[in-house]
Amino acid sequence: MTAFFALATSLLWGLADFGGGLLTRRTPALTVVVVSQTIATAVLGVIVVATGAWSEAGPRLWFAVAAGLAGPVAMICFYKALALGPMGVVSPLATLSVAVPVGVGLFLGERPGLVQVAGIAVAVAGVVLAGGPQLRGAPVQRRAIVLTLVSAVGFGAVFALIAEASTTVTGLFLALFVQRVTNVAVGGAALYVSVKRGADALPSGGFPWASLPALAFVGLADVAANGTYAIAAQHGPVTVAAVLASLYPVVTALAARGFLSERLRAIQAAGAGLALMGTVLLAAG
Protein backbone atom coordinates (compact mmCIF):
# COMPACT_ATOMS: atom_id res chain seq x y z
CA MET A 1 0.00 0.00 0.00
CA THR A 2 2.85 2.39 0.83
CA ALA A 3 4.47 1.95 -2.58
CA PHE A 4 1.16 2.40 -4.42
CA PHE A 5 0.17 5.64 -2.70
CA ALA A 6 3.73 7.04 -2.79
CA LEU A 7 3.96 6.40 -6.55
CA ALA A 8 0.52 7.99 -6.96
CA THR A 9 1.98 11.02 -5.16
CA SER A 10 4.82 11.20 -7.68
CA LEU A 11 2.38 11.00 -10.58
CA LEU A 12 0.13 13.74 -9.20
CA TRP A 13 2.97 16.08 -8.21
CA GLY A 14 4.74 15.52 -11.50
CA LEU A 15 1.63 16.40 -13.51
CA ALA A 16 0.88 19.38 -11.24
CA ASP A 17 4.42 20.71 -11.74
CA PHE A 18 4.12 20.22 -15.49
CA GLY A 19 0.79 22.07 -15.57
CA GLY A 20 2.06 24.81 -13.29
CA GLY A 21 5.15 25.26 -15.44
CA LEU A 22 3.02 25.71 -18.55
CA LEU A 23 0.71 28.19 -16.83
CA THR A 24 3.58 30.34 -15.52
CA ARG A 25 4.71 30.93 -19.10
CA ARG A 26 1.66 33.19 -19.50
CA THR A 27 0.64 34.11 -15.96
CA PRO A 28 2.78 35.31 -13.00
CA ALA A 29 3.87 32.40 -10.83
CA LEU A 30 2.41 33.82 -7.61
CA THR A 31 -0.97 34.29 -9.29
CA VAL A 32 -0.90 30.69 -10.49
CA VAL A 33 -0.15 29.52 -6.94
CA VAL A 34 -2.83 31.65 -5.26
CA VAL A 35 -5.62 30.95 -7.77
CA SER A 36 -4.95 27.20 -8.01
CA GLN A 37 -4.76 26.85 -4.23
CA THR A 38 -7.92 28.93 -3.75
CA ILE A 39 -9.85 26.56 -6.02
CA ALA A 40 -8.47 23.57 -4.10
CA THR A 41 -9.42 25.21 -0.80
CA ALA A 42 -13.01 25.72 -1.96
CA VAL A 43 -13.35 22.07 -3.03
CA LEU A 44 -11.82 20.85 0.23
CA GLY A 45 -14.15 23.10 2.19
CA VAL A 46 -17.15 21.40 0.60
CA ILE A 47 -15.69 17.97 1.39
CA VAL A 48 -14.99 18.94 5.01
CA VAL A 49 -18.59 20.12 5.49
CA ALA A 50 -20.05 17.08 3.72
CA THR A 51 -18.01 14.56 5.75
CA GLY A 52 -18.31 16.32 9.09
CA ALA A 53 -14.52 16.46 9.32
CA TRP A 54 -14.70 19.41 11.73
CA SER A 55 -15.21 16.83 14.49
CA GLU A 56 -11.58 15.72 13.92
CA ALA A 57 -10.18 19.10 14.96
CA GLY A 58 -7.36 18.81 17.48
CA PRO A 59 -3.75 19.72 18.28
CA ARG A 60 -2.48 17.81 15.23
CA LEU A 61 -3.87 20.57 13.01
CA TRP A 62 -0.90 22.72 13.99
CA PHE A 63 1.18 20.40 11.80
CA ALA A 64 -1.11 21.34 8.92
CA VAL A 65 -0.71 25.05 9.69
CA ALA A 66 3.06 24.63 9.73
CA ALA A 67 2.93 22.78 6.41
CA GLY A 68 0.79 25.59 5.01
CA LEU A 69 3.39 28.15 6.08
CA ALA A 70 6.35 26.18 4.74
CA GLY A 71 4.85 25.32 1.36
CA PRO A 72 4.44 28.81 -0.15
CA VAL A 73 7.82 29.96 1.19
CA ALA A 74 9.47 26.95 -0.42
CA MET A 75 7.63 27.51 -3.69
CA ILE A 76 8.49 31.22 -3.86
CA CYS A 77 12.18 30.47 -3.15
CA PHE A 78 12.12 27.75 -5.82
CA TYR A 79 10.61 30.02 -8.46
CA LYS A 80 13.14 32.75 -7.66
CA ALA A 81 15.97 30.23 -7.91
CA LEU A 82 14.66 29.06 -11.29
CA ALA A 83 14.61 32.67 -12.46
CA LEU A 84 18.25 33.10 -11.47
CA GLY A 85 19.13 29.71 -13.00
CA PRO A 86 20.52 27.78 -14.58
CA MET A 87 17.42 25.56 -14.34
CA GLY A 88 19.47 22.48 -15.17
CA VAL A 89 21.17 22.85 -11.79
CA VAL A 90 18.35 24.32 -9.71
CA SER A 91 15.70 21.70 -10.52
CA PRO A 92 17.74 18.57 -9.63
CA LEU A 93 19.21 20.26 -6.54
CA ALA A 94 15.69 20.84 -5.19
CA THR A 95 15.16 17.08 -5.00
CA LEU A 96 17.35 17.12 -1.89
CA SER A 97 14.04 17.79 -0.13
CA VAL A 98 13.75 14.02 0.26
CA ALA A 99 16.48 14.18 2.90
CA VAL A 100 14.12 15.81 5.42
CA PRO A 101 11.40 13.11 5.67
CA VAL A 102 14.00 10.34 5.30
CA GLY A 103 15.94 11.89 8.18
CA VAL A 104 12.76 12.10 10.26
CA GLY A 105 12.05 8.44 9.59
CA LEU A 106 15.55 7.41 10.64
CA PHE A 107 15.30 9.61 13.75
CA LEU A 108 12.05 7.88 14.69
CA GLY A 109 13.79 4.52 14.54
CA GLU A 110 13.09 3.24 11.04
CA ARG A 111 15.88 1.01 9.76
CA PRO A 112 15.47 0.08 6.09
CA GLY A 113 16.95 -3.21 4.95
CA LEU A 114 19.98 -3.53 2.69
CA VAL A 115 17.86 -3.86 -0.47
CA GLN A 116 15.83 -0.78 0.48
CA VAL A 117 18.99 1.23 1.20
CA ALA A 118 20.25 0.32 -2.27
CA GLY A 119 16.86 1.26 -3.73
CA ILE A 120 16.91 4.65 -1.98
CA ALA A 121 20.40 5.42 -3.29
CA VAL A 122 19.57 4.35 -6.85
CA ALA A 123 16.20 6.14 -6.91
CA VAL A 124 17.57 9.44 -5.55
CA ALA A 125 20.44 9.35 -8.07
CA GLY A 126 17.91 8.66 -10.82
CA VAL A 127 15.70 11.57 -9.80
CA VAL A 128 18.64 13.99 -9.80
CA LEU A 129 19.78 12.82 -13.23
CA ALA A 130 16.24 12.82 -14.63
CA GLY A 131 16.05 16.53 -13.82
CA GLY A 132 18.78 17.02 -16.43
CA PRO A 133 21.59 18.50 -14.30
CA GLN A 134 23.57 21.10 -16.19
CA LEU A 135 27.16 19.98 -15.82
CA ARG A 136 28.71 22.87 -17.73
CA GLY A 137 27.76 26.27 -19.04
CA ALA A 138 26.78 29.40 -17.14
CA PRO A 139 28.07 29.67 -13.59
CA VAL A 140 25.59 29.15 -10.77
CA GLN A 141 24.93 32.17 -8.59
CA ARG A 142 25.43 31.64 -4.87
CA ARG A 143 22.01 33.18 -4.22
CA ALA A 144 20.38 30.64 -6.54
CA ILE A 145 21.97 27.78 -4.61
CA VAL A 146 20.90 29.22 -1.25
CA LEU A 147 17.32 29.77 -2.45
CA THR A 148 17.18 26.24 -3.88
CA LEU A 149 18.42 24.69 -0.65
CA VAL A 150 15.87 26.73 1.34
CA SER A 151 13.11 25.52 -0.98
CA ALA A 152 14.33 21.93 -0.65
CA VAL A 153 14.15 22.13 3.15
CA GLY A 154 10.70 23.71 2.89
CA PHE A 155 9.33 21.05 0.55
CA GLY A 156 10.85 18.34 2.73
CA ALA A 157 9.25 19.89 5.80
CA VAL A 158 5.84 19.78 4.08
CA PHE A 159 6.43 16.07 3.43
CA ALA A 160 7.15 15.43 7.08
CA LEU A 161 4.51 17.73 8.58
CA ILE A 162 1.52 16.65 6.51
CA ALA A 163 2.20 13.03 7.43
CA GLU A 164 1.74 13.99 11.10
CA ALA A 165 -1.32 16.20 10.65
CA SER A 166 -3.97 13.47 10.93
CA THR A 167 -4.58 9.82 11.75
CA THR A 168 -7.93 9.28 9.97
CA VAL A 169 -9.26 9.89 6.46
CA THR A 170 -11.74 12.57 7.54
CA GLY A 171 -9.03 14.12 9.68
CA LEU A 172 -6.82 14.21 6.59
CA PHE A 173 -9.49 16.17 4.69
CA LEU A 174 -9.58 18.73 7.50
CA ALA A 175 -5.77 18.89 7.70
CA LEU A 176 -5.47 19.46 3.96
CA PHE A 177 -8.15 22.17 4.15
CA VAL A 178 -6.32 23.97 6.97
CA GLN A 179 -3.05 23.65 5.07
CA ARG A 180 -4.61 25.16 1.94
CA VAL A 181 -6.23 28.04 3.82
CA THR A 182 -2.80 28.86 5.24
CA ASN A 183 -1.25 28.49 1.78
CA VAL A 184 -3.70 30.98 0.29
CA ALA A 185 -3.18 33.46 3.14
CA VAL A 186 0.62 33.36 2.82
CA GLY A 187 0.58 33.32 -0.98
CA GLY A 188 -1.99 36.11 -1.10
CA ALA A 189 0.12 38.27 1.22
CA ALA A 190 3.18 37.64 -0.96
CA LEU A 191 1.20 38.53 -4.09
CA TYR A 192 -0.05 41.75 -2.47
CA VAL A 193 3.51 42.77 -1.54
CA SER A 194 4.69 41.90 -5.05
CA VAL A 195 2.00 44.07 -6.65
CA LYS A 196 2.76 46.96 -4.27
CA ARG A 197 6.37 46.78 -5.48
CA GLY A 198 5.25 47.20 -9.07
CA ALA A 199 4.95 43.60 -10.32
CA ASP A 200 1.99 42.52 -12.44
CA ALA A 201 -0.58 40.21 -10.87
CA LEU A 202 -2.24 39.32 -14.18
CA PRO A 203 -1.10 38.88 -17.78
CA SER A 204 -1.66 41.79 -20.18
CA GLY A 205 -4.96 40.34 -21.41
CA GLY A 206 -6.54 40.30 -17.94
CA PHE A 207 -7.61 37.31 -15.85
CA PRO A 208 -6.90 34.07 -17.75
CA TRP A 209 -10.42 32.63 -17.66
CA ALA A 210 -9.54 30.12 -20.38
CA SER A 211 -6.86 28.70 -18.07
CA LEU A 212 -9.28 28.16 -15.16
CA PRO A 213 -9.66 24.37 -15.75
CA ALA A 214 -5.88 24.00 -15.88
CA LEU A 215 -5.49 26.07 -12.70
CA ALA A 216 -8.09 23.87 -11.00
CA PHE A 217 -6.24 20.75 -12.10
CA VAL A 218 -2.93 22.03 -10.73
CA GLY A 219 -4.45 22.92 -7.36
CA LEU A 220 -6.46 19.71 -6.97
CA ALA A 221 -3.59 17.48 -8.14
CA ASP A 222 -1.31 19.12 -5.57
CA VAL A 223 -3.87 18.56 -2.81
CA ALA A 224 -4.42 14.95 -3.85
CA ALA A 225 -0.66 14.38 -3.85
CA ASN A 226 -0.40 15.64 -0.28
CA GLY A 227 -3.23 13.29 0.69
CA THR A 228 -1.77 10.20 -0.98
CA TYR A 229 1.63 10.94 0.56
CA ALA A 230 0.11 11.22 4.04
CA ILE A 231 -1.59 7.84 3.57
CA ALA A 232 1.64 6.28 2.26
CA ALA A 233 3.67 7.58 5.20
CA GLN A 234 1.08 6.42 7.74
CA HIS A 235 0.91 2.86 6.38
CA GLY A 236 4.57 2.12 5.87
CA PRO A 237 8.14 3.32 6.39
CA VAL A 238 8.50 7.06 5.90
CA THR A 239 11.90 6.49 4.29
CA VAL A 240 10.34 4.40 1.52
CA ALA A 241 7.29 6.66 1.08
CA ALA A 242 9.43 9.80 0.83
CA VAL A 243 11.82 8.40 -1.76
CA LEU A 244 9.07 6.98 -3.97
CA ALA A 245 7.09 10.22 -3.69
CA SER A 246 10.16 12.19 -4.78
CA LEU A 247 10.11 10.58 -8.24
CA TYR A 248 7.86 13.38 -9.53
CA PRO A 249 10.62 15.08 -11.62
CA VAL A 250 10.69 11.92 -13.74
CA VAL A 251 6.94 12.30 -14.36
CA THR A 252 7.39 15.98 -15.25
CA ALA A 253 10.18 15.17 -17.70
CA LEU A 254 8.13 12.40 -19.33
CA ALA A 255 5.06 14.66 -19.56
CA ALA A 256 7.16 17.29 -21.32
CA ARG A 257 8.35 14.58 -23.70
CA GLY A 258 4.84 13.32 -24.38
CA PHE A 259 2.88 16.57 -24.59
CA LEU A 260 5.48 19.07 -25.77
CA SER A 261 7.70 16.69 -27.74
CA GLU A 262 10.70 17.81 -25.69
CA ARG A 263 13.57 15.42 -26.26
CA LEU A 264 15.07 13.79 -23.21
CA ARG A 265 18.82 14.11 -22.99
CA ALA A 266 20.79 10.92 -22.55
CA ILE A 267 21.45 11.80 -18.89
CA GLN A 268 17.71 12.26 -18.28
CA ALA A 269 16.83 8.94 -19.91
CA ALA A 270 19.48 7.22 -17.79
CA GLY A 271 18.06 8.92 -14.69
CA ALA A 272 14.55 7.73 -15.48
CA GLY A 273 15.88 4.19 -15.83
CA LEU A 274 17.72 4.39 -12.51
CA ALA A 275 14.62 5.79 -10.81
CA LEU A 276 12.59 2.87 -12.11
CA MET A 277 15.26 0.43 -10.91
CA GLY A 278 15.28 2.04 -7.48
CA THR A 279 11.48 1.77 -7.33
CA VAL A 280 11.69 -1.95 -8.03
CA LEU A 281 14.32 -2.42 -5.30
CA LEU A 282 12.25 -0.48 -2.77
CA ALA A 283 9.11 -2.45 -3.59
CA ALA A 284 11.02 -5.74 -3.40
CA GLY A 285 12.59 -4.83 -0.07
Side-chain angles (χ1 to χ4, degrees), residues 128-232:
V128 172
L129 293 177
Q134 186 168 309
L135 304 178
R136 59 181 179 275
V140 185
Q141 295 186 35
R142 181 179 300 176
R143 186 178 175 217
I145 293 177
V146 171
L147 286 169
T148 305
L149 292 177
V150 170
S151 71
V153 172
F155 288 136
V158 172
F159 267 58
L161 290 166
I162 202 63
E164 298 295 327
S166 68
T167 55
T168 65
V169 174
T170 51
L172 179 58
F173 288 142
L174 180 59
L176 292 173
F177 174 71
V178 170
Q179 179 195 14
R180 277 338 185 255
V181 169
T182 310
N183 275 352
V184 171
V186 174
L191 181 60
Y192 175 78
V193 171
S194 178
V195 170
K196 293 291 285 185
R197 290 180 175 178
D200 293 326
L202 296 172
S204 56
F207 188 85
W209 293 105
S211 298
L212 206 56
L215 287 163
F217 171 79
V218 169
L220 293 174
D222 183 52
V223 166
N226 278 266
T228 53
Y229 176 74
I231 294 171

Side-chain angles (χ1 to χ4, degrees), residues 97-144:
S97 59
V98 71
V100 177
V102 167
V104 170
L106 294 175
F107 177 77
L108 295 176
E110 291 184 2
R111 294 297 179 265
L114 185 60
V115 173
Q116 288 182 321
V117 170
I120 289 172
V122 172
V124 171
V127 168
V128 172
L129 293 177
Q134 186 168 309
L135 304 178
R136 59 181 179 275
V140 185
Q141 295 186 35
R142 181 179 300 176
R143 186 178 175 217

